[in-house]
Amino acid sequence: MAYTHIARRPDASRLNWKAAQWLPAHLLGMGALSWQGGFGDGARNHIPMGWDIVAVTAPSLAIYHWARKTGLPAAAIERNIQDVTVTDEGTHYEGVH
């Protein structure tokens, strides 16, 4: 909501932070696991092959259930979609140079 007000875009879609509370934990957790794993540049190789699957699956299932529990009901999602106002590109970014 603050972004919408600051950018002077009252027709922008609304964000529901309560429904997305799981997202920072997921991103930070997967980032940490990737860093500790054995693939890619900068990987520490602290999680051996095979255990890396367990290390990703367990938190992923927990985050999935958390996201399902805190997510918006289908009716609220449909309302949000219906509330979106489509504007012309020229007027949507008016005043931004």
Side-chain angles (χ1 to χ4, degrees), residues 5 11 14 17 20 25 28 44 46 49 52 54 60-61 64-65 69 75 78 81 91-93 97:
H5 179 71
D11 58 339
R14 290 180 221 63
W17 296 109
L28 291 171
R44 307 293 254 178
H46 290 161
M49 182 72 93
D52 56 354
V54 175
S60 293
L61 288 172
Y64 171 77
H65 287 289
K69 185 175 180 171
E78 290 297 325
I81 292 170
T91 59
H92 194 69
Y93 294 103
H97 302 314

Side-chain angles (χ1 to χ4, degrees), residues 7-76:
R8 296 187 184 127
R9 293 178 52 196
D11 58 339
S13 59
R14 290 180 221 63
L15 299 176
N16 186 310
W17 296 109
K18 183 180 177 195
Q21 61 183 291
W22 58 271
L23 188 57
H26 171 69
L27 294 174
L28 291 171
M30 289 299 119
L33 287 170
S34 295
W35 176 54
Q36 292 299 314
F39 297 100
D41 295 333
R44 307 293 254 178
N45 205 20
H46 290 161
I47 305 173
M49 182 72 93
W51 286 104
D52 56 354
I53 295 170
V54 175
V56 168
T57 302
S60 293
L61 288 172
I63 297 270
Y64 171 77
H65 287 289
W66 182 12
R68 293 275 305 182
K69 185 175 180 171
T70 60
L72 291 175

